[in-house]
Amino acid sequence: FLTSIQNKTLHINYDIIIVTHSSNFVNQDKLNYFNNISSSSIRVIKHDIFPFNYSSIVNFAVSFSTASYVCLLNDDMEILNGNWLSELLRWFTVKDTGVVGSLLLYPDYKIQHAGISLGLNQICDHPDKGFSRFSKKDLPHINHPRSVTAVTGACLLIKKETFLELGGMNPLFAEAFNDVDLCLRVRKKGYNIICTPHSSILHYESISIGEPLSDSRRSTFRKE
């Protein structure tokens, strides 16, 4: 994940903040690796407050950032195109942009995320999930940036000022729907949520914390 960011990200300055948590299988080998890569542009911080709460972890990480924009990224990602980050940032030159997200693909290049819609599967879901990235006939909209209801926090760019103004992510959503909640609050402020296919990333979904509806997480998911 880090190698793909460092080797493929072009034309932009950025810092990386890595947050470790004991629930994320951080063994001694990983800790040694993190210690070795720490530098002026890569900071490793620990958040071992239990129980696991993704929203609290993100808020904690953002408090360490000195940048004007923050990009949330899961650790089960692989960057595909060099302009992925500059493409996200470019959208903030468009008036009323609040959040921008990438097109996320499974390793077989089927779509994992191209925007989130409310009402699907009773709550909300990814309407184009499972279709081929190359289904231009069936999914012509996939090839164009567009306004959506929400984007996933697996890759989400937002102004730090906006993030802090909204109070960050809501800790009541420890694992699920925290990204949707954030986007809905951004929209309530009058901003647009954009998903752009010109920023594309492979997403090895839920590798770090298990399947979304495994027995250990089902009750949390239902509550949220």
Side-chain angles (χ1 to χ4, degrees), residues 40-106:
S40 59
S41 61
I42 300 180
R43 186 169 186 177
V44 182
I45 58 178
K46 182 184 292 186
H47 185 281
D48 275 347
I49 298 174
F50 286 88
F52 174 86
N53 189 304
Y54 176 79
S55 295
S56 294
I57 289 174
V58 168
N59 294 342
F60 180 68
V62 171
S63 71
F64 284 85
S65 173
T66 59
S68 299
Y69 296 84
V70 290
C71 183
L72 312 186
L73 275 178
N74 283 11
D75 60 357
D76 51 0
M77 314 277 268
E78 180 182 342
I79 304 304
L80 290 177
N81 58 316
N83 69 332
W84 72 278
L85 187 53
S86 55
E87 166 65 14
L88 297 180
L89 189 61
R90 181 178 71 86
W91 278 94
F92 284 91
T93 64
V94 178
K95 184 181 178 182
D96 295 333
T97 295
V99 166
V100 188
S102 298
L103 173 69
L104 303 185
L105 306 171
Y106 289 117

Short mmCIF file of all heavy atoms in Angstrom, two decimals, residues 40-106:
data_model
loop_
_atom_site.label_atom_id
_atom_site.label_comp_id
_atom_site.label_asym_id
_atom_site.label_seq_id
_atom_site.Cartn_x
_atom_site.Cartn_y
_atom_site.Cartn_z
N SER A 40 10.37 12.57 7.99
CA SER A 40 9.72 13.88 8.05
C SER A 40 8.38 13.88 7.31
O SER A 40 7.51 14.70 7.59
CB SER A 40 10.64 14.95 7.46
OG SER A 40 10.96 14.65 6.12
N SER A 41 8.22 12.98 6.32
CA SER A 41 6.99 12.95 5.54
C SER A 41 6.08 11.77 5.89
O SER A 41 4.97 11.67 5.36
CB SER A 41 7.31 12.90 4.04
OG SER A 41 8.05 11.74 3.73
N ILE A 42 6.53 10.87 6.75
CA ILE A 42 5.71 9.73 7.18
C ILE A 42 5.72 9.68 8.70
O ILE A 42 6.77 9.54 9.32
CB ILE A 42 6.22 8.39 6.62
CG1 ILE A 42 6.23 8.40 5.10
CG2 ILE A 42 5.35 7.24 7.13
CD1 ILE A 42 6.74 7.11 4.48
N ARG A 43 4.56 9.81 9.29
CA ARG A 43 4.45 9.80 10.74
C ARG A 43 3.59 8.62 11.17
O ARG A 43 2.52 8.39 10.61
CB ARG A 43 3.83 11.10 11.23
CG ARG A 43 3.81 11.26 12.73
CD ARG A 43 3.43 12.68 13.11
NE ARG A 43 3.54 12.90 14.53
CZ ARG A 43 3.32 14.08 15.11
NH1 ARG A 43 2.99 15.12 14.38
NH2 ARG A 43 3.43 14.21 16.41
N VAL A 44 4.06 7.86 12.14
CA VAL A 44 3.32 6.71 12.66
C VAL A 44 2.86 7.04 14.07
O VAL A 44 3.66 7.37 14.94
CB VAL A 44 4.19 5.45 12.66
CG1 VAL A 44 3.37 4.25 13.17
CG2 VAL A 44 4.73 5.15 11.26
N ILE A 45 1.56 6.96 14.29
CA ILE A 45 1.00 7.25 15.61
C ILE A 45 0.16 6.06 16.07
O ILE A 45 -0.35 5.29 15.26
CB ILE A 45 0.15 8.53 15.61
CG1 ILE A 45 -1.01 8.43 14.60
CG2 ILE A 45 1.01 9.74 15.32
CD1 ILE A 45 -1.91 9.66 14.58
N LYS A 46 0.04 5.90 17.36
CA LYS A 46 -0.68 4.76 17.93
C LYS A 46 -1.99 5.23 18.55
O LYS A 46 -2.04 6.24 19.23
CB LYS A 46 0.19 4.08 19.00
CG LYS A 46 -0.46 2.83 19.62
CD LYS A 46 0.40 2.25 20.74
CE LYS A 46 1.68 1.68 20.19
NZ LYS A 46 2.46 0.97 21.26
N HIS A 47 -3.05 4.44 18.28
CA HIS A 47 -4.35 4.71 18.88
C HIS A 47 -4.88 3.39 19.42
O HIS A 47 -5.52 2.63 18.71
CB HIS A 47 -5.31 5.30 17.84
CG HIS A 47 -6.64 5.71 18.39
ND1 HIS A 47 -7.65 4.82 18.66
CD2 HIS A 47 -7.13 6.94 18.73
CE1 HIS A 47 -8.70 5.48 19.13
NE2 HIS A 47 -8.42 6.76 19.18
N ASP A 48 -4.61 3.11 20.68
CA ASP A 48 -5.00 1.83 21.27
C ASP A 48 -6.12 1.98 22.28
O ASP A 48 -6.14 1.33 23.32
CB ASP A 48 -3.78 1.16 21.92
CG ASP A 48 -2.98 0.35 20.91
OD1 ASP A 48 -3.50 0.13 19.79
OD2 ASP A 48 -1.85 -0.04 21.21
N ILE A 49 -7.05 2.88 21.98
CA ILE A 49 -8.23 3.02 22.83
C ILE A 49 -9.26 1.99 22.39
O ILE A 49 -9.57 1.88 21.19
CB ILE A 49 -8.79 4.45 22.73
CG1 ILE A 49 -7.75 5.46 23.23
CG2 ILE A 49 -10.09 4.58 23.51
CD1 ILE A 49 -8.14 6.90 23.04
N PHE A 50 -9.79 1.23 23.32
CA PHE A 50 -10.76 0.18 22.99
C PHE A 50 -12.14 0.57 23.51
O PHE A 50 -12.27 1.32 24.48
CB PHE A 50 -10.30 -1.14 23.61
CG PHE A 50 -9.14 -1.75 22.89
CD1 PHE A 50 -7.84 -1.42 23.23
CD2 PHE A 50 -9.35 -2.65 21.85
CE1 PHE A 50 -6.77 -1.97 22.56
CE2 PHE A 50 -8.28 -3.21 21.18
CZ PHE A 50 -6.99 -2.86 21.53
N PRO A 51 -13.20 0.06 22.88
CA PRO A 51 -13.18 -0.82 21.71
C PRO A 51 -12.80 -0.06 20.44
O PRO A 51 -12.78 1.18 20.43
CB PRO A 51 -14.62 -1.32 21.61
CG PRO A 51 -15.43 -0.22 22.21
CD PRO A 51 -14.59 0.33 23.33
N PHE A 52 -12.52 -0.80 19.37
CA PHE A 52 -12.14 -0.21 18.09
C PHE A 52 -13.23 0.74 17.62
O PHE A 52 -14.42 0.41 17.63
CB PHE A 52 -11.95 -1.33 17.06
CG PHE A 52 -11.69 -0.82 15.66
CD1 PHE A 52 -10.40 -0.51 15.25
CD2 PHE A 52 -12.73 -0.66 14.76
CE1 PHE A 52 -10.15 -0.05 13.96
CE2 PHE A 52 -12.49 -0.19 13.47
CZ PHE A 52 -11.19 0.11 13.08
N ASN A 53 -12.83 1.93 17.20
CA ASN A 53 -13.78 2.92 16.70
C ASN A 53 -13.10 3.68 15.56
O ASN A 53 -12.24 4.53 15.78
CB ASN A 53 -14.20 3.88 17.82
CG ASN A 53 -15.34 4.80 17.41
OD1 ASN A 53 -15.24 5.51 16.42
ND2 ASN A 53 -16.43 4.78 18.18
N TYR A 54 -13.52 3.36 14.35
CA TYR A 54 -12.89 3.96 13.16
C TYR A 54 -13.03 5.48 13.16
O TYR A 54 -12.08 6.20 12.84
CB TYR A 54 -13.52 3.37 11.90
CG TYR A 54 -13.00 3.99 10.62
CD1 TYR A 54 -11.77 3.60 10.09
CD2 TYR A 54 -13.74 4.96 9.95
CE1 TYR A 54 -11.29 4.17 8.93
CE2 TYR A 54 -13.26 5.53 8.78
CZ TYR A 54 -12.04 5.13 8.27
OH TYR A 54 -11.56 5.71 7.12
N SER A 55 -14.20 5.97 13.54
CA SER A 55 -14.42 7.42 13.54
C SER A 55 -13.46 8.12 14.48
O SER A 55 -12.86 9.15 14.13
CB SER A 55 -15.86 7.74 13.93
OG SER A 55 -16.77 7.24 12.98
N SER A 56 -13.29 7.57 15.67
CA SER A 56 -12.37 8.17 16.64
C SER A 56 -10.93 8.13 16.14
O SER A 56 -10.15 9.07 16.36
CB SER A 56 -12.48 7.45 17.98
OG SER A 56 -13.75 7.64 18.55
N ILE A 57 -10.57 7.04 15.47
CA ILE A 57 -9.21 6.90 14.93
C ILE A 57 -8.95 7.97 13.87
O ILE A 57 -7.90 8.61 13.86
CB ILE A 57 -9.01 5.49 14.37
CG1 ILE A 57 -8.93 4.47 15.51
CG2 ILE A 57 -7.75 5.41 13.51
CD1 ILE A 57 -8.88 3.04 15.05
N VAL A 58 -9.92 8.18 12.98
CA VAL A 58 -9.77 9.18 11.93
C VAL A 58 -9.65 10.58 12.55
O VAL A 58 -8.78 11.37 12.17
CB VAL A 58 -10.95 9.13 10.93
CG1 VAL A 58 -10.94 10.35 10.03
CG2 VAL A 58 -10.87 7.85 10.10
N ASN A 59 -10.52 10.88 13.50
CA ASN A 59 -10.47 12.19 14.15
C ASN A 59 -9.13 12.41 14.84
O ASN A 59 -8.57 13.52 14.80
CB ASN A 59 -11.61 12.32 15.16
CG ASN A 59 -12.98 12.32 14.50
OD1 ASN A 59 -13.11 12.56 13.30
ND2 ASN A 59 -14.00 12.05 15.29
N PHE A 60 -8.62 11.37 15.47
CA PHE A 60 -7.32 11.43 16.14
C PHE A 60 -6.22 11.72 15.12
O PHE A 60 -5.36 12.58 15.34
CB PHE A 60 -7.08 10.09 16.84
CG PHE A 60 -5.78 9.99 17.58
CD1 PHE A 60 -5.55 10.74 18.72
CD2 PHE A 60 -4.80 9.11 17.15
CE1 PHE A 60 -4.36 10.62 19.42
CE2 PHE A 60 -3.61 8.98 17.84
CZ PHE A 60 -3.38 9.74 18.98
N ALA A 61 -6.25 11.03 13.98
CA ALA A 61 -5.22 11.22 12.96
C ALA A 61 -5.27 12.63 12.38
O ALA A 61 -4.23 13.27 12.19
CB ALA A 61 -5.40 10.19 11.85
N VAL A 62 -6.46 13.13 12.10
CA VAL A 62 -6.60 14.46 11.51
C VAL A 62 -6.05 15.53 12.45
O VAL A 62 -5.50 16.54 12.00
CB VAL A 62 -8.07 14.75 11.15
CG1 VAL A 62 -8.26 16.20 10.73
CG2 VAL A 62 -8.54 13.82 10.02
N SER A 63 -6.13 15.30 13.74
CA SER A 63 -5.62 16.29 14.70
C SER A 63 -4.10 16.45 14.59
O SER A 63 -3.55 17.46 15.03
CB SER A 63 -5.99 15.87 16.13
OG SER A 63 -5.25 14.75 16.56
N PHE A 64 -3.42 15.48 13.99
CA PHE A 64 -1.97 15.56 13.80
C PHE A 64 -1.59 16.21 12.48
O PHE A 64 -0.42 16.51 12.25
CB PHE A 64 -1.35 14.15 13.87
CG PHE A 64 -1.25 13.59 15.25
CD1 PHE A 64 -2.32 12.93 15.81
CD2 PHE A 64 -0.09 13.73 16.00
CE1 PHE A 64 -2.24 12.41 17.10
CE2 PHE A 64 0.01 13.21 17.28
CZ PHE A 64 -1.07 12.56 17.83
N SER A 65 -2.56 16.39 11.59
CA SER A 65 -2.26 16.90 10.26
C SER A 65 -2.12 18.42 10.27
O SER A 65 -2.90 19.13 10.91
CB SER A 65 -3.37 16.51 9.28
OG SER A 65 -3.18 17.12 8.02
N THR A 66 -1.13 18.91 9.54
CA THR A 66 -0.95 20.36 9.37
C THR A 66 -1.35 20.80 7.97
O THR A 66 -1.14 21.96 7.60
CB THR A 66 0.52 20.74 9.63
OG1 THR A 66 1.35 20.03 8.71
CG2 THR A 66 0.92 20.41 11.05
N ALA A 67 -1.92 19.90 7.19
CA ALA A 67 -2.28 20.19 5.80
C ALA A 67 -3.63 20.90 5.72
O ALA A 67 -4.43 20.88 6.65
CB ALA A 67 -2.32 18.90 4.99
N SER A 68 -3.89 21.51 4.57
CA SER A 68 -5.18 22.16 4.33
C SER A 68 -6.25 21.16 3.90
O SER A 68 -7.44 21.43 4.03
CB SER A 68 -5.02 23.23 3.25
OG SER A 68 -4.12 24.23 3.65
N TYR A 69 -5.81 20.02 3.38
CA TYR A 69 -6.72 18.97 2.95
C TYR A 69 -6.29 17.66 3.58
O TYR A 69 -5.10 17.42 3.78
CB TYR A 69 -6.70 18.80 1.42
CG TYR A 69 -7.18 20.02 0.66
CD1 TYR A 69 -6.31 21.07 0.38
CD2 TYR A 69 -8.49 20.11 0.21
CE1 TYR A 69 -6.74 22.19 -0.31
CE2 TYR A 69 -8.93 21.23 -0.48
CZ TYR A 69 -8.05 22.27 -0.74
OH TYR A 69 -8.48 23.37 -1.43
N VAL A 70 -7.26 16.81 3.89
CA VAL A 70 -6.94 15.48 4.40
C VAL A 70 -7.61 14.44 3.51
O VAL A 70 -8.75 14.61 3.07
CB VAL A 70 -7.39 15.29 5.87
CG1 VAL A 70 -6.53 16.14 6.80
CG2 VAL A 70 -8.86 15.63 6.06
N CYS A 71 -6.87 13.38 3.24
CA CYS A 71 -7.38 12.28 2.42
C CYS A 71 -7.41 11.02 3.28
O CYS A 71 -6.37 10.54 3.72
CB CYS A 71 -6.48 12.06 1.20
SG CYS A 71 -7.11 10.76 0.09
N LEU A 72 -8.61 10.54 3.56
CA LEU A 72 -8.74 9.29 4.30
C LEU A 72 -8.48 8.14 3.35
O LEU A 72 -9.00 8.10 2.24
CB LEU A 72 -10.15 9.15 4.88
CG LEU A 72 -10.73 10.36 5.62
CD1 LEU A 72 -12.07 9.98 6.26
CD2 LEU A 72 -9.76 10.87 6.67
N LEU A 73 -7.65 7.19 3.78
CA LEU A 73 -7.31 6.04 2.94
C LEU A 73 -7.25 4.78 3.81
O LEU A 73 -6.54 4.77 4.83
CB LEU A 73 -5.95 6.22 2.27
CG LEU A 73 -5.87 6.98 0.95
CD1 LEU A 73 -4.41 7.06 0.52
CD2 LEU A 73 -6.69 6.30 -0.12
N ASN A 74 -7.98 3.76 3.42
CA ASN A 74 -7.84 2.48 4.08
C ASN A 74 -6.47 1.88 3.78
O ASN A 74 -5.82 2.24 2.79
CB ASN A 74 -8.92 1.51 3.61
CG ASN A 74 -10.26 1.79 4.27
OD1 ASN A 74 -10.44 2.82 4.92
ND2 ASN A 74 -11.21 0.89 4.10
N ASP A 75 -6.06 0.91 4.59
CA ASP A 75 -4.74 0.31 4.40
C ASP A 75 -4.77 -0.92 3.49
O ASP A 75 -3.77 -1.63 3.37
CB ASP A 75 -4.12 -0.06 5.75
CG ASP A 75 -4.96 -1.06 6.53
OD1 ASP A 75 -6.05 -1.42 6.06
OD2 ASP A 75 -4.52 -1.47 7.63
N ASP A 76 -5.93 -1.18 2.86
CA ASP A 76 -6.04 -2.33 1.96
C ASP A 76 -6.23 -1.86 0.52
O ASP A 76 -7.07 -2.35 -0.22
CB ASP A 76 -7.20 -3.24 2.38
CG ASP A 76 -8.51 -2.48 2.58
OD1 ASP A 76 -8.52 -1.25 2.39
OD2 ASP A 76 -9.52 -3.12 2.93
N MET A 77 -5.43 -0.86 0.14
CA MET A 77 -5.56 -0.21 -1.16
C MET A 77 -4.27 -0.32 -1.97
O MET A 77 -3.18 -0.48 -1.42
CB MET A 77 -5.89 1.27 -0.98
CG MET A 77 -6.98 1.55 0.03
SD MET A 77 -8.61 1.38 -0.66
CE MET A 77 -8.90 3.06 -1.17
N GLU A 78 -4.41 -0.21 -3.29
CA GLU A 78 -3.25 -0.16 -4.18
C GLU A 78 -3.51 0.91 -5.25
O GLU A 78 -4.48 0.82 -6.01
CB GLU A 78 -3.01 -1.51 -4.85
CG GLU A 78 -1.82 -1.52 -5.79
CD GLU A 78 -1.62 -2.86 -6.46
OE1 GLU A 78 -2.17 -3.88 -5.98
OE2 GLU A 78 -0.93 -2.90 -7.50
N ILE A 79 -2.66 1.92 -5.27
CA ILE A 79 -2.83 3.02 -6.21
C ILE A 79 -2.62 2.53 -7.64
O ILE A 79 -1.68 1.78 -7.92
CB ILE A 79 -1.83 4.15 -5.90
CG1 ILE A 79 -2.00 4.62 -4.44
CG2 ILE A 79 -1.99 5.30 -6.87
CD1 ILE A 79 -3.38 5.09 -4.07
N LEU A 80 -3.48 2.99 -8.57
CA LEU A 80 -3.37 2.56 -9.97
C LEU A 80 -2.80 3.65 -10.87
O LEU A 80 -1.99 3.36 -11.73
CB LEU A 80 -4.74 2.13 -10.49
CG LEU A 80 -5.30 0.82 -9.92
CD1 LEU A 80 -6.69 0.56 -10.48
CD2 LEU A 80 -4.38 -0.35 -10.24
N ASN A 81 -3.24 4.89 -10.69
CA ASN A 81 -2.78 5.94 -11.61
C ASN A 81 -2.10 7.07 -10.84
O ASN A 81 -2.50 7.44 -9.73
CB ASN A 81 -3.93 6.48 -12.46
CG ASN A 81 -5.07 7.05 -11.64
OD1 ASN A 81 -5.48 6.47 -10.65
ND2 ASN A 81 -5.58 8.20 -12.05
N GLY A 82 -1.07 7.61 -11.45
CA GLY A 82 -0.21 8.58 -10.77
C GLY A 82 -0.89 9.87 -10.39
O GLY A 82 -0.46 10.54 -9.44
N ASN A 83 -1.96 10.26 -11.10
CA ASN A 83 -2.62 11.53 -10.81
C ASN A 83 -3.82 11.36 -9.90
O ASN A 83 -4.67 12.24 -9.82
CB ASN A 83 -3.05 12.21 -12.12
CG ASN A 83 -4.19 11.47 -12.80
OD1 ASN A 83 -4.32 10.26 -12.64
ND2 ASN A 83 -4.99 12.18 -13.57
N TRP A 84 -3.90 10.24 -9.19
CA TRP A 84 -5.08 9.95 -8.37
C TRP A 84 -5.35 11.05 -7.35
O TRP A 84 -6.49 11.46 -7.16
CB TRP A 84 -4.92 8.59 -7.66
CG TRP A 84 -3.92 8.62 -6.54
CD1 TRP A 84 -2.57 8.49 -6.65
CD2 TRP A 84 -4.21 8.81 -5.15
NE1 TRP A 84 -1.97 8.60 -5.41
CE2 TRP A 84 -2.96 8.78 -4.46
CE3 TRP A 84 -5.37 8.99 -4.41
CZ2 TRP A 84 -2.86 8.94 -3.08
CZ3 TRP A 84 -5.28 9.15 -3.03
CH2 TRP A 84 -4.04 9.13 -2.39
N LEU A 85 -4.31 11.54 -6.71
CA LEU A 85 -4.48 12.53 -5.65
C LEU A 85 -4.68 13.94 -6.22
O LEU A 85 -5.52 14.71 -5.75
CB LEU A 85 -3.29 12.50 -4.69
CG LEU A 85 -3.39 13.36 -3.43
CD1 LEU A 85 -4.67 13.07 -2.66
CD2 LEU A 85 -2.16 13.13 -2.55
N SER A 86 -3.92 14.28 -7.25
CA SER A 86 -4.08 15.60 -7.86
C SER A 86 -5.45 15.72 -8.52
O SER A 86 -6.04 16.82 -8.57
CB SER A 86 -2.96 15.87 -8.88
OG SER A 86 -2.88 14.85 -9.85
N GLU A 87 -6.00 14.61 -9.03
CA GLU A 87 -7.35 14.62 -9.61
C GLU A 87 -8.39 14.92 -8.53
O GLU A 87 -9.31 15.71 -8.75
CB GLU A 87 -7.65 13.28 -10.28
CG GLU A 87 -9.11 13.03 -10.64
CD GLU A 87 -9.67 13.96 -11.70
OE1 GLU A 87 -8.89 14.65 -12.38
OE2 GLU A 87 -10.91 14.00 -11.86
N LEU A 88 -8.24 14.31 -7.37
CA LEU A 88 -9.17 14.60 -6.27
C LEU A 88 -9.08 16.06 -5.86
O LEU A 88 -10.09 16.74 -5.69
CB LEU A 88 -8.86 13.70 -5.07
CG LEU A 88 -9.01 12.18 -5.25
CD1 LEU A 88 -8.66 11.46 -3.95
CD2 LEU A 88 -10.42 11.81 -5.70
N LEU A 89 -7.85 16.54 -5.71
CA LEU A 89 -7.63 17.91 -5.27
C LEU A 89 -8.13 18.92 -6.28
O LEU A 89 -8.64 20.00 -5.92
CB LEU A 89 -6.14 18.12 -5.00
CG LEU A 89 -5.73 19.42 -4.32
CD1 LEU A 89 -6.36 19.53 -2.95
CD2 LEU A 89 -4.21 19.50 -4.23
N ARG A 90 -8.02 18.60 -7.57
CA ARG A 90 -8.43 19.51 -8.65
C ARG A 90 -9.89 19.92 -8.51
O ARG A 90 -10.27 21.05 -8.87
CB ARG A 90 -8.20 18.81 -9.99
CG ARG A 90 -8.56 19.63 -11.20
CD ARG A 90 -8.25 18.86 -12.48
NE ARG A 90 -9.15 17.75 -12.67
CZ ARG A 90 -10.34 17.84 -13.27
NH1 ARG A 90 -10.77 19.02 -13.72
NH2 ARG A 90 -11.11 16.78 -13.43
N TRP A 91 -10.72 19.03 -7.97
CA TRP A 91 -12.14 19.32 -7.87
C TRP A 91 -12.47 20.44 -6.89
O TRP A 91 -13.56 21.01 -6.92
CB TRP A 91 -12.92 18.05 -7.54
CG TRP A 91 -13.16 17.27 -8.79
CD1 TRP A 91 -12.40 16.25 -9.30
CD2 TRP A 91 -14.20 17.50 -9.73
NE1 TRP A 91 -12.89 15.83 -10.49
CE2 TRP A 91 -14.01 16.58 -10.79
CE3 TRP A 91 -15.27 18.38 -9.80
CZ2 TRP A 91 -14.85 16.52 -11.88
CZ3 TRP A 91 -16.11 18.33 -10.89
CH2 TRP A 91 -15.90 17.41 -11.91
N PHE A 92 -11.51 20.75 -6.03
CA PHE A 92 -11.77 21.83 -5.08
C PHE A 92 -11.58 23.21 -5.70
O PHE A 92 -11.79 24.22 -5.04
CB PHE A 92 -10.91 21.65 -3.83
CG PHE A 92 -11.44 20.56 -2.93
CD1 PHE A 92 -11.00 19.26 -3.07
CD2 PHE A 92 -12.41 20.83 -1.98
CE1 PHE A 92 -11.50 18.24 -2.26
CE2 PHE A 92 -12.92 19.84 -1.18
CZ PHE A 92 -12.46 18.53 -1.32
N THR A 93 -11.20 23.25 -6.98
CA THR A 93 -11.23 24.51 -7.72
C THR A 93 -12.64 24.79 -8.24
O THR A 93 -12.92 25.88 -8.73
CB THR A 93 -10.25 24.49 -8.90
OG1 THR A 93 -10.65 23.48 -9.85
CG2 THR A 93 -8.83 24.20 -8.42
N VAL A 94 -13.52 23.80 -8.14
CA VAL A 94 -14.92 23.95 -8.55
C VAL A 94 -15.73 24.41 -7.34
O VAL A 94 -15.65 23.82 -6.26
CB VAL A 94 -15.49 22.62 -9.09
CG1 VAL A 94 -16.96 22.78 -9.48
CG2 VAL A 94 -14.67 22.14 -10.28
N LYS A 95 -16.50 25.45 -7.53
CA LYS A 95 -17.27 26.03 -6.43
C LYS A 95 -18.19 24.99 -5.79
O LYS A 95 -18.80 24.16 -6.47
CB LYS A 95 -18.11 27.21 -6.95
CG LYS A 95 -18.87 27.94 -5.88
CD LYS A 95 -19.69 29.09 -6.47
CE LYS A 95 -20.50 29.80 -5.38
NZ LYS A 95 -21.34 30.88 -5.93
N ASP A 96 -18.28 25.05 -4.48
CA ASP A 96 -19.19 24.25 -3.66
C ASP A 96 -18.84 22.77 -3.62
O ASP A 96 -19.69 21.93 -3.27
CB ASP A 96 -20.65 24.40 -4.13
CG ASP A 96 -21.17 25.81 -3.94
OD1 ASP A 96 -20.67 26.50 -3.03
OD2 ASP A 96 -22.07 26.23 -4.69
N THR A 97 -17.60 22.41 -3.96
CA THR A 97 -17.16 21.03 -3.76
C THR A 97 -16.85 20.82 -2.28
O THR A 97 -16.12 21.61 -1.67
CB THR A 97 -15.92 20.72 -4.59
OG1 THR A 97 -16.25 20.81 -5.98
CG2 THR A 97 -15.40 19.31 -4.30
N GLY A 98 -17.42 19.75 -1.70
CA GLY A 98 -17.21 19.49 -0.28
C GLY A 98 -16.36 18.27 0.00
O GLY A 98 -15.51 18.26 0.89
N VAL A 99 -16.61 17.21 -0.78
CA VAL A 99 -15.89 15.94 -0.63
C VAL A 99 -15.69 15.35 -2.01
O VAL A 99 -16.56 15.46 -2.88
CB VAL A 99 -16.69 14.95 0.25
CG1 VAL A 99 -16.13 13.54 0.14
CG2 VAL A 99 -16.68 15.39 1.72
N VAL A 100 -14.54 14.70 -2.23
CA VAL A 100 -14.28 14.01 -3.49
C VAL A 100 -13.78 12.60 -3.18
O VAL A 100 -12.96 12.41 -2.28
CB VAL A 100 -13.24 14.75 -4.35
CG1 VAL A 100 -13.15 14.11 -5.74
CG2 VAL A 100 -13.58 16.22 -4.48
N GLY A 101 -14.29 11.63 -3.93
CA GLY A 101 -13.87 10.24 -3.75
C GLY A 101 -13.44 9.62 -5.06
O GLY A 101 -13.77 10.11 -6.15
N SER A 102 -12.69 8.53 -4.96
CA SER A 102 -12.15 7.82 -6.12
C SER A 102 -13.07 6.67 -6.54
O SER A 102 -13.91 6.19 -5.77
CB SER A 102 -10.77 7.22 -5.79
OG SER A 102 -9.84 8.21 -5.47
N LEU A 103 -12.85 6.22 -7.78
CA LEU A 103 -13.42 4.96 -8.24
C LEU A 103 -12.58 3.84 -7.64
O LEU A 103 -11.36 3.81 -7.80
CB LEU A 103 -13.37 4.88 -9.77
CG LEU A 103 -13.77 3.54 -10.40
CD1 LEU A 103 -15.27 3.30 -10.23
CD2 LEU A 103 -13.39 3.51 -11.88
N LEU A 104 -13.22 2.93 -6.91
CA LEU A 104 -12.51 1.82 -6.28
C LEU A 104 -12.88 0.51 -6.97
O LEU A 104 -14.06 0.25 -7.25
CB LEU A 104 -12.86 1.74 -4.79
CG LEU A 104 -12.58 3.00 -3.97
CD1 LEU A 104 -12.85 2.74 -2.49
CD2 LEU A 104 -11.14 3.48 -4.15
N LEU A 105 -11.87 -0.29 -7.24
CA LEU A 105 -12.04 -1.53 -7.98
C LEU A 105 -11.54 -2.72 -7.18
O LEU A 105 -10.56 -2.61 -6.43
CB LEU A 105 -11.25 -1.47 -9.30
CG LEU A 105 -11.54 -0.28 -10.21
CD1 LEU A 105 -10.52 -0.24 -11.35
CD2 LEU A 105 -12.96 -0.34 -10.77
N TYR A 106 -12.21 -3.85 -7.34
CA TYR A 106 -11.69 -5.10 -6.80
C TYR A 106 -10.47 -5.52 -7.63
O TYR A 106 -10.27 -5.02 -8.75
CB TYR A 106 -12.76 -6.19 -6.86
CG TYR A 106 -13.91 -6.00 -5.90
CD1 TYR A 106 -15.21 -5.80 -6.35
CD2 TYR A 106 -13.69 -6.04 -4.51
CE1 TYR A 106 -16.27 -5.65 -5.46
CE2 TYR A 106 -14.74 -5.88 -3.62
CZ TYR A 106 -16.02 -5.69 -4.10
OH TYR A 106 -17.06 -5.53 -3.23
#
